[in-house]
Amino acid sequence: MPYDYYKSAIQKTSPFFDERPDDIDISLLVIHNMSLPPGEFGGDDIEALFTGTLDENKHPFFKQIAHLKVSAHCVIRRNGTVEQYVPFSKRAWHAGVSAFQGRSRCNDYAIGIELEGTDTAPFTAAQYTSLASLTHDILSHYPAITLGRIVGHSDIAFGRKTDPGEAFNWCQYRQSISLGKIK
C-alpha cells in the first residue's frame, strides 16, 4: 500500500497531478520556495494557485500565472504549518523542465516541497522544524531518497530556477536530517 499522506499535514486537494509512471521509483526530494504575491507572506493565494482558483484580478502579477497548472506535494507556511496538496504516490507538477544526474522529468520520481518564502528572505525556525520532521517521515517511507538526493529546484532546473535561494540554510537542514535531530 503506498504511503500517501503526512499525518501532521492539513489536507488540501489540488487537481494538478496525475499518475507516476512507476510509483516505486520515488527517489528525489526537491525543495522550492514560493510567495504570492511575490515577496508577500500569508493569505490564501498559494492555495488558490494550487487548486486552480487564483483570481487574476486580485493582483497584477496573477494575470501572468492564473492559467498555470502547478502543484507541490506539500507547502510549509511561515508558522510551520504543513499543507499537503498531492498524495506522495502521485506525480505533482512542481519541477517543470528538469533533470537530475542525467535523468529528465523529475516530477516522475520526485516529491516537491514548497517553503513559503523568497530566495533572499530568511526562512523561519518553525519552517526548518517542520521541514526536518516532514523529511524524516518521507525518508522513512522512501529509502531511495538519500541525503544526496535532496536538492533545490535550482539544482534540477539550472539557469531557469533559483529556489530555494541564498537565504535557505542547507547546512542547518542537512545536519538536522543526517543527525536525526529536529532543529
Side-chain angles (χ1 to χ4, degrees):
M1 185 164 149
Y3 168 66
D4 279 331
Y5 297 101
Y6 179 52
K7 66 183 180 329
S8 297
I10 297 170
Q11 300 304 315
K12 310 272 182 165
T13 303
S14 174
F16 306 132
F17 71 93
D18 57 4
E19 296 296 323
R20 293 181 186 271
D22 182 357
D23 67 354
I24 62 169
D25 187 36
I26 298 169
S27 58
L28 188 67
L29 180 61
V30 181
I31 310 299
H32 304 261
N33 79 49
M34 164 181 273
S35 60
L36 289 177
E40 295 182 25
F41 307 134
D44 62 359
D45 296 320
I46 293 172
E47 178 178 350
L49 178 65
F50 284 177
T51 59
T53 61
L54 187 64
D55 179 357
E56 70 178 33
N57 297 312
K58 187 174 176 184
H59 186 276
F61 178 71
F62 294 173
K63 289 189 186 318
Q64 299 174 44
I65 64 168
H67 68 283
L68 297 176
K69 295 180 178 179
V70 296
S71 62
H73 291 91
C74 295
V75 173
I76 301 176
R77 298 297 187 151
R78 304 293 288 176
N79 66 2
T81 299
V82 179
E83 300 170 347
Q84 186 167 359
Y85 290 87
V86 176
F88 296 126
S89 65
K90 305 299 182 193
R91 177 172 46 194
W93 303 344
H94 60 96
V97 177
S98 55
F100 182 72
Q101 295 182 343
R103 185 176 175 194
S104 63
R105 300 180 52 93
C106 292
N107 284 341
D108 289 353
Y109 56 95
I111 291 174
I113 300 174
E114 293 276 0
L115 296 170
E116 184 179 26
T118 68
D119 286 6
T120 57
F123 295 92
T124 68
Q127 286 179 297
Y128 284 109
T129 297
S130 292
L131 179 59
S133 294
L134 176 57
T135 300
H136 283 288
D137 200 60
I138 290 169
L139 295 179
S140 73
H141 290 90
Y142 295 103
I145 300 175
T146 61
L147 192 59
R149 296 185 67 83
I150 300 172
V151 299
H153 198 186
S154 58
D155 298 314
I156 62 168
F158 186 75
R160 187 174 69 83
K161 295 293 182 177
T162 58
D163 56 313
E166 63 191 53
F168 186 73
N169 189 334
W170 280 104
C171 184
Q172 174 186 343
Y173 171 55
R174 289 185 187 276
Q175 285 178 343
S176 71
I177 297 165
S178 65
L179 299 175
K181 296 179 181 175
I182 299 172
K183 296 183 178 186

